[in-house]
Amino acid sequence: MEKVIMQLGALTCPSCMQKIEAGVANQPGVKNVKVLFNASKVKAEIDPATTSSDQLKTVIEKLGYDVESVKVKAL
């Protein structure tokens, strides 16, 4: 398992948070996801054999949000 932390551009409304959480949670290999609205961060636990931080970044960008940085830590 890996923990992925992504810094996003500013989120403007709570529905943005829900849209990102739902999009990331629907990806195979995502075990846990939380969007921190005030910090504009996404935290997710993933199975690196099934998905990657790059795939999650692509999902978020396709939803229309900017990903400014990505950190990955092994769990």
Side-chain angles (χ1 to χ4, degrees):
M1 295 294 292
E2 291 179 342
K3 183 174 192 173
V4 178
I5 302 171
M6 298 185 178
Q7 180 65 52
L8 307 179
L11 298 177
T12 56
C13 61
S15 64
C16 297
M17 177 182 76
Q18 294 169 344
K19 186 176 176 182
I20 293 168
E21 274 186 2
V24 172
N26 285 332
Q27 296 305 302
V30 174
K31 304 297 181 196
N32 202 355
V33 62
K34 179 76 176 160
V35 177
L36 305 174
F37 179 73
N38 291 333
S40 295
K41 287 186 179 182
V42 177
K43 294 183 177 184
E45 290 180 16
I46 64 168
D47 177 356
T50 309
T51 193
S52 69
S53 60
D54 287 340
Q55 288 171 314
L56 297 187
K57 182 179 182 220
T58 299
V59 167
I60 293 168
E61 289 173 340
K62 283 184 178 179
L63 291 171
Y65 302 96
D66 293 325
V67 178
E68 296 176 353
S69 67
V70 179
K71 294 180 185 176
V72 180
K73 297 178 184 177
L75 294 179

